[in-house]
Amino acid sequence: MAPPAVVARGLTKRFGDLTAVDGIDVTVAAGETFAFLGANGAGKTSAMRMIATVSPVTDGELSVLGLDPHHDGQVIRSRLGVVPQEDNLDLELTVRENLLVYGLYHGLPRTVIAHRIDDLLAFAQLEDKADAEVDALSGGMKRRLTIARALINEPDLVILDEPTTGLDPQARHVLWDRLHELRSRGVTLLLTTHYMDEAEQLADRLVVMDHGRIIAEGSPTDLIVEHVTREVLEVRFGTARQAESSDRLVALDLPEVESVEQLAERAIVYTRDAEATLDALGDHGLVPRGHLTRRATLEDVFLRLTGRQLVD
Amino acid sequence: MSAPTTTPRSVASPLRTTPLALLGAGRAHTLMYRNFLSARTHPMVFFGGFFEPVLYLFSLGVGLGALAPDIALGDGTTVSYVQFVAPAMLASSAMNGAVTEATFNIFFKLKFGKLYDAMLATPMTPMDVAVGEIGWSQARGAAYSAGFLVIMLAMGLTSGWTWPLALLATALIGLAFGAVGMAATTFMTSWKDFDLVQLVILPMFLFSGTLYPLSVYPGWLQVVARLSPLYHGTVLVRGLVLGQVTWSMLGNVAVLVVMAAVGLVVARRRLSTLLLT
Ligand SMILES: Nc1ncnc2c1ncn2[C@@H]1O[C@H](COP(=O)(O)OP(=O)(O)O)[C@@H](O)[C@H]1O
Ligand SMILES: [Mg+2]
């Protein structure tokens, strides 16, 4: 058995008085796709940077690929692929040269690099851009090149910090597709995101991070089952009546309703039976102006756990 | 993708025991190669600083030199003014190339390109980055110096047989100024700070025994001028170009070596402080 890709115990990062990562416990198994989900400032990047051995651990224990980041940083980095939150491609070089020099930084022989570049250009769907200046690429292409660059050393663990933030929906889907491909090849992926759909799409397991702490952990399905109901009813009563009506809704204390989140423009009702709940509301004279029945998502889990929405 | 193994695999290519590897900078050459690729597509940027010392050679050395008397060297021999000025311009060209690279280019890569962040995510270390950049700054200075030396040879401004060694001296000047330049750059926060670089470089260029011998100054000012690293570079290069080698030149070498070493250590430390937070 390969050792876990990452084991963290009480892992802590402080910047002066600010505690960015507050004693987290995480184990990422070899071969799994693991996500850190959290709002901006939750401490995701700080955690990733410690794992990538480019940020000293303030406190707690951390092992990456079975090795100690403090002593074996160079060896660990030779087996990591890193996609940072902000692209840091070499804008003075072409697409191909970016991959070449990155291979050289890794100490790989040129013949090996040349071989891999062709494969990676195909993987990243950038074959016709091979000799283009990086500056001229679209955001999605740059992101794919950054991922290709992270794969030049055939890493055992790939760390992706918000891989699709800022991309348009189509570019996001292309990228997800590439990540699924990596997953199916058995590469261990560790990613951060503040998109629920991304975590649900990609992650085998995830942790929800808030203010530097882990507030929930599990598979997307487990977390939904554990923290919310499978079905969700959203009801809108119109701006003027919303607050009063949703207060009344809560006061009804309907038997099939587990909980209610009251937002400014809508109430989110976690219920075992959305149809029955809607009928019951009608019986009590609470006919919503609009309603929506849907399956629960991780967005709901986050809302339940923190009382806040993840992306405003 | 290979499966993780329980025993740590050694860093991809085993580091050969080269002087650079012993320094902890076994991959520094890959950064120099990266800079070469960049310079290849942007050659005008690379050669931009070459012409300044050449212009001085012609305006001051040749032009003013027609009016200036010959200049007596330490051992009593005299040389024409242009012969006196040319080695100083050779030393300055090495300084110019190295300083331009180590300040403007490194600042851009550090603050805007995020280039070093990308490198430090690989097995590259801050020492690799510092040595690679200082080495490349030196290479840019060396390219200027070599070009300048060709002009001097064509004009018959060398004498004796030690002039090829002047290239080694300019390499040392490039290392010293590249290292201190890079160290200084790591403390800069905005482009405005580059005015300070000019504020240091220009007086140094004018008052380092470059355009006239230090002996024209009162004693205390001579002492001040000796603090200038370019003074030591100029003395070294002038001695080698004019075939007048003395033991005291070892002292000039030592000053530049110390400067290179201190600059390197500071630059490496600052890279860690700034980037590995
Ligand atoms: N280098 C740093 N110096 C000081 N504070 C930092 C630094 N990096 C991050 N922080 C702070 O740590 C907290 C967590 O940030 P970060 O890890 O970037 O969160 P996330 O990636 O989840 O958005 C934030 O409050 C941020 O301002
Ligand atoms: Mg972040």
Side-chain angles (χ1 to χ4, degrees), chain B residues 242-267:
Chain B
L242 298 179
Q244 302 215 335
V245 179
T246 62
W247 284 111
S248 68
M249 282 162 64
L250 286 178
N252 305 128
V253 169
V255 168
L256 294 171
V257 168
V258 168
M259 193 175 149
V262 170
L264 171 65
V265 170
V266 172

Side-chain angles (χ1 to χ4, degrees), chain B residues 112-158:
Chain B
F112 303 101
K114 304 279 172 209
L115 212 70
Y116 306 136
D117 299 76
M119 288 176 197
L120 295 179
T122 73
M124 298 272 278
T125 61
M127 193 56 144
D128 287 315
V129 173
V131 170
E133 286 294 23
I134 292 166
W136 179 255
S137 300
Q138 183 281 124
R140 180 158 167 185
Y144 289 9
S145 303
F148 197 89
L149 194 58
V150 169
I151 294 174
M152 286 174 66
L153 285 169
M155 293 172 67
L157 294 176
T158 61

Side-chain angles (χ1 to χ4, degrees), chain A residues 13-16 18-21 38-49 85 161-162 192 194 209 212, chain B residues 274 277:
Chain A
K13 181 75 194 183
R14 278 189 286 273
F15 297 105
L18 185 129
T19 305
V21 178
N40 277 335
K44 305 182 296 293
T45 297
S46 304
M48 292 309 116
R49 285 175 48 82
Q85 184 167 343
D161 197 357
E162 301 200 13
T192 77
H194 58 216
M209 221 178 157
Chain B
L274 290 175
T277 52

Side-chain angles (χ1 to χ4, degrees), chain B residues 219-243:
Chain B
W220 65 272
L221 205 55
Q222 292 188 27
V223 174
V224 174
R226 276 171 215 275
L227 294 176
S228 152
L230 184 60
Y231 165 77
H232 296 277
T234 299
V235 168
L236 204 54
V237 172
R238 188 174 281 141
L240 291 166
V241 164
L242 298 179

